[in-house]
Amino acid sequence: MEQWCKEVEKRTNGTVKITQFTGGTLTPPAQTYISVTRGVADIGLSFFSYTMGRFPFMEALDLPLGYKSGYTATKLANEFYEKFKPKELDDVKVLFLMTSPPHMLFAKKQVKNLEDLKGLKIRSTGTSAKVVKALGGAPVAMPMSDAYDALSRGVAQGIIGPYEPMKGFRLAEVVDNSTEYGSAYINANYVLMNKDKWNSLPANTQKIIEQINREWVEKMGKLWDELDKEGKDVFIQKGGKVTVLTKEENARWAAILSPILDEYVKNMKAKGLHGDQALKFCQDYLIKNQK
């Protein structure tokens, strides 16, 4: 994002300058969206899942659909928004979306089936908490910044997330096993701008920023996968053991997680939204674009 800020300034010949505030120093992550609408921040980056229920239609992206890469997920997220333009985002200018890499299960002990997972205390929030609960684990909510301490002290016995935090948050030091399963999900992020601020920019400046945004969808999608690979490499170097579920076990997990998809469609219908179309769009995209 720092590079994005610099690129905007460079290509607009300095007419647009962006001051970056990292790590929630300008606005807490769960308040980023409202802070942008109120002009506390002109631009904001955060996760849709930090405010579950605020963006119901967009939650389709976070469902356990069997994602295989952050790049494909990021491309899907942006095409999804362009296709549906949900009203829940009408009061901001969406610059672009990106996603985490696929979330896997990490634990102190090996988890090779549902029986191994039963009752395990797993750090999880939002969609991941639904996944953990459905699979028989016990969700434990906490910020990622608290995960290392919780895992080291046994407050949590595992965590669900990408490989990236194995390096970025040094979690490879406190978990010994990973379980890769086929119904993986992601967390979608938004990068958006105050609508009045966006409308105050000249048309040619808006055009320049839109072009940069398209380029950054590619960059960010690829970057997250690179970081995820680095995290997995560190995990293995630290002695971490990778378990890939068998075809039969994957089918068991998929069957248990399927009601989460049905629940999404049902909830959207109650709100007068076409969740069935949203889900089908995502599933069709992944079938067509994932190897």
Side-chain angles (χ1 to χ4, degrees), residues 1 3-5 7-8 11 18 43 74-75 78 81-82 93-98 191-193 198 201 205-221:
M1 286 312 301
Q3 293 175 19
W4 180 85
C5 295
E7 193 68 13
V8 170
R11 292 206 213 169
I18 302 170
I43 300 170
T74 292
K75 296 282 284 186
N78 285 277
Y81 174 73
E82 289 300 324
K93 165 62 181 178
V94 175
L95 297 175
F96 63 95
L97 306 178
M98 56 183 169
V191 182
L192 43 85
M193 190 170 183
W198 172 258
L201 298 175
T205 299
Q206 292 179 346
K207 187 176 180 180
I208 290 169
I209 295 175
E210 294 277 28
Q211 176 58 38
I212 296 171
N213 294 341
R214 287 190 288 272
E215 295 171 15
W216 249 249
V217 168
E218 294 286 325
K219 288 178 181 286
M220 297 303 274

Side-chain angles (χ1 to χ4, degrees), residues 76-222:
L76 165 57
N78 285 277
E79 293 196 25
F80 180 89
Y81 174 73
E82 289 300 324
K83 165 73 174 178
F84 294 105
K85 292 286 180 67
K87 292 182 178 180
E88 62 203 42
L89 289 165
D90 274 357
D91 51 357
V92 295
K93 165 62 181 178
V94 175
L95 297 175
F96 63 95
L97 306 178
M98 56 183 169
T99 79
S100 71
H103 287 221
M104 300 302 170
L105 176 67
F106 300 87
K108 292 182 175 292
K109 74 169 193 175
Q110 184 184 30
V111 175
K112 58 185 182 298
N113 53 43
L114 291 171
E115 289 72 24
D116 292 334
L117 179 54
K118 188 173 182 180
L120 275 186
K121 295 182 290 184
I122 307 293
R123 182 270 174 185
S124 48
T125 58
T127 300
S128 62
K130 290 184 179 181
V131 169
V132 168
K133 187 175 181 180
L135 294 173
V140 180
M142 70 185 72
M144 179 63 80
S145 55
D146 293 343
Y148 184 100
D149 186 53
L151 288 163
S152 64
R153 293 190 296 110
V155 175
Q157 298 163 307
I159 184 170
I160 197 162
Y163 275 100
E164 183 273 329
M166 295 299 113
K167 178 182 178 181
F169 285 87
R170 299 176 21 245
L171 297 187
E173 299 174 7
V174 289
V175 288
D176 305 308
N177 294 274
S178 72
T179 302
E180 298 183 357
Y181 61 101
S183 303
Y185 68 95
I186 51 85
N187 281 149
N189 305 41
Y190 55 73
V191 182
L192 43 85
M193 190 170 183
N194 177 276
K195 207 163 192 177
D196 290 337
K197 182 65 70 172
W198 172 258
N199 290 334
S200 72
L201 298 175
N204 64 322
T205 299
Q206 292 179 346
K207 187 176 180 180
I208 290 169
I209 295 175
E210 294 277 28
Q211 176 58 38
I212 296 171
N213 294 341
R214 287 190 288 272
E215 295 171 15
W216 249 249
V217 168
E218 294 286 325
K219 288 178 181 286
M220 297 303 274
K222 292 175 181 176

